[in-house]
Amino acid sequence: MNAPPPPPTGTARRGAHAAVRHDSAVGHVTGRAVYLDDMPLPPNTLEAALVLSTHPHARLRGIDLSAALAVPGVVAAITADDIPGRNDIGPILRDEPALAAGVAEYAGHPIAAVAADTLEAAREGAARVVVDYEPLPTVLTVEEALEHKLYVAPPQIMTRGDPDAALVAAPIRLSGEVRCGGQDHFYLEGQIAIAIPGEDRDMQVYSSTQHPTEVQHGVAHLLGLPFNQVTVEVRRMGGAFGGKESQATIIAGIAAVLAAKSGRPVKLRLARDDDMLATGKRHPFLIRYDVGIDAEGRILALDMMLAADAGNIADLTPPVVTRALCHVDNCYWLPHVRVTGLACKTHKVSNTAFRGFGGPQGMLAIEALVDDVARHLRLPADTVRARNFYGVGRNNVTPYGMTVEDNIIERVTGELARAVDLPGWRAAVDAFNAKSPVVKKGLATVPVKFGISFNLPTLNQAGALVHVYTDGSVHLNHGGTEMGQGLFVKVAQVVAEAFSIDVSMIRISATSTGKVPNTSATAASSGSDLNGMAALNAAQTIRGRMAEVMAERFAVPVEEIAFDDGRVFARNESLAFGELAQLCWSRRVSLSSTGFYRTPKIHWDAATCTGRPFFYFTYGAAAAEVAIDTLTGELRVLRAELLQDCGASLNPAIDLGQIEGAFVQGMGWLTSEELWWDPSGALRTHGPSTYKIPGSRDVPPVFNARLLADAPNREATVFRSKAVGEPPLMLALSVWLAIRDAVASVGPVGAKVELDAPATPTRVLAAVERIRVCEIL
């Protein structure tokens, strides 16, 4: 298709680039927005409950369902043996079951399910299922997996130059180790699906999923059906963050098997505790590095290991590790580098997609390294960063071979520093610390360069369907899913811009595999890029047909037809958009079109870890101030200043909301959200009483987010916009680095800070005590 037009000039009409409110905003705040749990259910719908393994690794010697089936109201109960098709819902690799078959591999592994007339009866039935376990040896840590070489996928190695020789030749050589923990998605709406059996074994599934096509495929595999007999629909999710990309298939698949067995509709909604026990999370990483530098802090060589805790199966771990490797460089030129990514198998729930998809862990690794280098050399961290930034025209090729053609990181960091008076801010923090013996402040900045596109080129495609009705109203459908991020209103704005009508004329409809097939997940921050372009393609096709009718009606060249503010002009004549639609219908011209888009330029060689995996990069920078109590380890984030590159933003209001929300979510990952398994392999932080997401009082009292001005995307994206869903999460690394800075103020200059993430009070206090020992020594 042709490249999209440049951003339009300002107009009162609400199309692209207007700060339009979320299409469901009123529904969200009034409670009228319908989620799956609010849907009126068909008659005779059954409620379902899961039976979860109580052992992290055990052979299932027997599963007795008789007591469950005897509970009044229980209609059906299933195990893996009751699956009529193939017990496999793996998103990438095969043999990843919906229900454990023969062996349970984590505490919380679904091994059976019960459906009943009421939820209470289903839960009672599930509680009465008797499982005969034979405990097996368990591996619960990445270190154990490394020792035994237990992996769910082959190692990935990204290499450039000769890192071994360059390390030996480096004037200064440092090594280090850091860990970052996992994170639960803690979406407000838990996992839920409704499966409704139809004629001839057809199955209609309503699923809270980011990936309707994957749910369609998973259900079809389990039921032994072709894909065209399974239709999956989702209007909205109450949050997802990656947790409903592959995990939703488990819930929908089990509901569908129960529906097929009972011949009745089945609703399966997980309680929060079961949700957290049974479904995957962000990957914890163990990071080790060996770096060679010069006296100015320039990185000359790097050998780094990124070991991800995959959990019990591969799930999406291989591409998560790939993206982590592709973001180890962040904004920095690494002339000689080897990064090894390992997908370690443990007997815990399979970890999965989460906002950033490995990028945050890769960036944490390099930022911890840069911070260590700066402290060792007694240089400001910002100075070390600037000396290692990618150049323009030189030192501008990533370790995976992609040339950085759109580098604006110096502009972004410079604008932020000037806007917040960074030198003055630093002086104020230092002055406070000089007078405060117990409470210490820290200040840090972080730059971010984040690649946009799925690493697997095949996934970078999207479809859309647009209808124009004879009154000028428009029906829009596409393969993207709405999870609160504002995708639907953005794509509607794109279509409104194409027709030059107000966005209120666009009616958004639920995502359905029956309307747009073979979709990719709404993930990788690519929802607007892909679906917006597909919808634009469809709208431009219809607009072209309408222009031809208008040109014929008024006998002018089609090139002179102009669409503007709800009217269509042919020199001195004009028709309202709806009038032209009516005219097109009367002349038997189609007002319906599909649209399609595939991202250009991208390619990737998984064997060599080289290529151009990203269409473009987004850039951002943040500065954060924290305070820690050196006697208790408690901390507060006092101020955060964010600057994010959104290109020519499709919707500044939506984008600002995404920036603020991503930052706070990243803050939670790095400070308070600790997942803790006991020695027996049981997750003990599986509800809001023990798992601490940030609350309203944790948001910095001074919190400013800005969009980078006058920076349209250099690549031909939809109206030159840029993605925004994931990149701002990495800005929260400034908080973790600021905590390290506060800890460093307790010890001698040049002392190394040893602090893993999340920086809980316990970890902060331990880091303070360690650095105080350095001072004594």
Side-chain angles (χ1 to χ4, degrees):
M1 62 177 290
N2 295 329
T9 56
T11 174
R13 178 182 44 78
R14 298 177 305 159
H17 313 296
V20 180
R21 73 185 181 192
H22 194 289
D23 58 284
S24 297
V26 173
H28 289 160
V29 299
T30 61
R32 291 201 298 267
V34 176
Y35 294 88
L36 287 191
D37 205 31
D38 305 318
M39 284 180 56
L41 297 174
N44 299 317
T45 297
L46 302 175
E47 299 273 0
L50 298 180
V51 179
L52 305 179
S53 172
T54 57
H55 291 262
H57 193 204
R59 185 168 288 107
L60 303 176
R61 292 188 295 204
I63 304 173
D64 186 353
L65 303 176
S66 58
L69 291 169
V71 172
V74 169
V75 174
I78 60 169
T79 68
D81 292 340
D82 296 291
I83 293 172
R86 192 171 77 241
N87 186 14
D88 183 10
I89 55 170
I92 298 175
L93 302 182
R94 294 194 57 171
D95 299 322
E96 297 184 2
L99 289 171
V103 177
E105 290 204 301
Y106 66 95
H109 201 161
I111 57 179
V114 176
D117 292 327
T118 66
L119 181 58
E120 292 74 17
R123 288 177 173 173
E124 183 180 350
R128 294 196 183 188
V129 171
V130 177
V131 183
D132 182 9
Y133 296 100
E134 179 188 336
L136 298 171
T138 60
V139 172
L140 297 176
T141 68
V142 169
E143 289 85 351
E144 291 177 274
L146 290 173
E147 179 184 352
H148 297 290
K149 294 184 170 54
L150 294 176
Y151 306 120
V152 298
Q156 301 179 48
I157 302 174
M158 183 181 292
T159 305
R160 174 169 59 195
D162 189 345
D164 293 322
L167 281 167
V168 171
I172 303 170
R173 190 166 174 177
L174 304 175
S175 62
E177 179 177 288
V178 67
R179 294 169 176 79
C180 55
Q183 184 179 22
D184 190 83
H185 303 86
F186 217 92
Y187 22 65
L188 290 180
E189 177 203 34
Q191 298 278 358
I192 181 172
I194 302 168
I196 304 173
E199 294 182 4
D200 300 323
R201 300 183 66 207
D202 284 358
M203 189 65 68
Q204 171 74 47
V205 179
Y206 296 92
S207 172
S208 184
T209 177
Q210 295 172 244
H211 200 342
T213 292
E214 185 171 311
V215 170
Q216 178 193 40
H217 292 181
V219 169
H221 291 156
L222 293 170
L223 298 182
L225 297 173
F227 297 156
N228 65 359
Q229 284 192 254
V230 179
T231 302
V232 178
E233 180 175 315
V234 54
R235 171 56 182 89
R236 61 172 60 84
M237 289 164 274
F241 311 114
K244 296 177 179 177
E245 186 172 339
S246 64
Q247 304 296 286
T249 308
I250 303 170
I251 311 308
I254 293 171
V257 173
L258 282 167
K261 184 177 180 66
S262 66
R264 292 167 61 177
V266 171
K267 175 181 175 181
L268 174 56
R269 176 179 61 82
L270 299 193
R272 178 67 60 181
D273 292 278
D274 287 350
D275 196 316
M276 294 185 71
L277 290 169
T279 64
K281 317 188 185 309
R282 186 186 297 280
H283 290 74
F285 270 60
L286 169 63
I287 299 149
R288 292 173 179 158
Y289 72 81
D290 184 1
V291 63
I293 56 174
D294 66 16
E296 301 297 313
R298 293 181 182 86
I299 298 172
L300 306 176
L302 173 63
D303 188 6
M304 179 177 282
M305 179 200 74
L306 300 177
D309 186 340
N312 69 303
I313 55 175
D315 194 344
L316 294 170
T317 299
V320 166
V321 170
T322 303
R323 186 165 280 261
L325 266 58
C326 288
H327 285 84
V328 157
D329 61 323
N330 193 10
C331 299
Y332 311 119
W333 162 247
L334 306 174
H336 298 276
V337 58
R338 177 172 55 242
V339 188
T340 303
L342 302 173
C344 299
K345 179 182 174 71
T346 59
H347 294 113
K348 293 192 236 178
V349 62
S350 68
N351 290 307
T352 190
F354 200 128
R355 199 176 199 168
F357 204 80
Q361 296 95 319
M363 285 192 197
L364 181 143
I366 194 68
E367 291 302 332
L369 181 154
V370 169
D371 194 56
D372 287 347
V373 167
R375 298 200 187 284
H376 180 82
L377 297 176
R378 304 186 180 188
L379 292 171
D382 289 341
T383 299
V384 174
R385 289 191 182 96
R387 288 173 179 170
N388 285 286
F389 278 161
Y390 280 114
V392 176
R394 59 182 294 276
N395 295 346
N396 63 340
V397 179
T398 67
Y400 45 91
M402 178 175 172
T403 301
V404 181
E405 300 171 335
D406 56 5
N407 187 354
I408 55 172
I409 194 58
E410 290 193 13
R411 176 193 165 185
V412 173
T413 54
E415 283 193 20
L416 178 70
R418 289 188 294 273
V420 303
D421 182 20
L422 199 56
W425 193 356
R426 167 53 69 186
V429 168
D430 290 344
F432 176 91
N433 286 342
K435 297 178 181 179
S436 178
V438 175
V439 175
K440 296 292 184 181
K441 288 186 175 181
L443 171 64
T445 66
V446 71
V448 168
K449 173 183 68 67
F450 190 80
I452 301 300
S453 292
F454 290 97
N455 270 77
L456 180 63
T458 301
L459 299 178
N460 294 282
Q461 58 176 297
L465 177 64
V466 175
H467 305 316
V468 175
Y469 295 104
T470 54
D471 63 352
S473 62
V474 177
H475 175 99
L476 168 63
N477 191 272
H478 54 78
T481 58
E482 176 61 53
M483 59 200 85
Q485 84 279 37
L487 172 64
F488 275 20
V489 71
K490 280 187 169 184
V491 179
Q493 287 176 263
V494 169
V495 173
E497 194 64 46
F499 290 130
S500 196
I501 59 178
D502 191 78
V503 70
S504 61
M505 297 295 291
I506 314 295
R507 184 65 179 174
I508 305 161
S509 57
T511 308
S512 171
T513 58
K515 288 189 175 181
V516 176
N518 310 320
T519 61
S520 294
T522 304
S525 301
S526 63
S528 296
D529 284 1
L530 295 176
N531 296 287
M533 287 293 268
L536 180 62
N537 175 233
Q540 286 177 331
T541 298
I542 299 170
R543 174 177 164 146
R545 295 172 190 159
M546 296 177 75
E548 290 176 357
V549 171
M550 188 73 176
E552 181 183 351
R553 168 67 177 81
F554 292 104
V556 300
V558 71
E559 294 79 12
E560 295 186 21
I561 302 301
F563 288 68
D564 186 29
D565 202 15
R567 298 194 69 82
V568 186
F569 293 86
R571 294 180 181 169
N572 296 326
E573 303 289 344
S574 72
L575 294 175
F577 182 77
E579 292 173 331
L580 179 56
Q582 177 72 30
L583 180 62
C584 290
W585 174 79
S586 71
R587 298 196 176 184
R588 296 182 294 174
V589 171
S590 172
L591 293 173
S592 176
S593 179
T594 59
F596 184 77
Y597 175 73
R598 51 179 286 180
T599 307
K601 298 185 178 181
I602 55 175
H603 56 92
W604 181 250
D605 185 337
T608 61
C609 289
T610 57
R612 176 176 176 160
F614 308 122
F615 189 26
Y616 62 89
F617 296 102
T618 66
Y619 297 85
E625 177 185 342
V626 305
I628 66 169
D629 186 323
T630 60
L631 299 181
T632 65
E634 294 173 284
L635 68 94
R636 285 298 307 273
V637 183
L638 303 177
R639 180 182 176 190
E641 302 283 347
L642 319 180
L643 181 62
Q644 181 63 43
D645 161 37
C646 293
S649 171
L650 285 175
N651 187 322
I654 294 292
D655 286 354
L656 282 170
Q658 285 292 288
I659 294 165
E660 292 167 355
F663 180 86
V664 173
Q665 189 171 56
M667 207 175 76
W669 169 52
L670 294 164
T671 59
S672 64
E673 296 186 42
E674 183 176 30
L675 293 162
W676 188 78
W677 280 263
D678 68 18
S680 74
L683 177 66
R684 295 301 185 184
T685 50
H686 52 77
S689 63
T690 51
Y691 184 78
K692 299 299 185 181
I693 66 171
S696 58
R697 289 182 293 179
D698 296 308
V699 175
V702 180
F703 188 24
N704 297 305
R706 306 172 183 85
L707 303 185
L708 185 68
D710 301 319
N713 199 335
R714 298 181 191 180
E715 295 292 352
T717 53
V718 59
F719 297 123
R720 302 289 171 169
S721 60
K722 284 191 174 184
V724 72
E726 293 170 301
L729 186 137
M730 274 67 76
L731 297 178
L733 288 167
S734 60
V735 170
W736 183 66
L737 294 169
I739 298 168
R740 289 168 62 101
D741 185 61
V743 170
S745 71
V746 177
V749 176
K752 186 174 182 178
V753 177
E754 297 179 14
L755 179 66
D756 294 334
T760 60
T762 301
R763 288 197 176 99
V764 171
L765 185 58
V768 168
E769 291 174 348
R770 279 192 295 267
I771 207 163
R772 276 183 172 150
V773 171
C774 292
E775 186 172 33
I776 293 171
L777 295 177

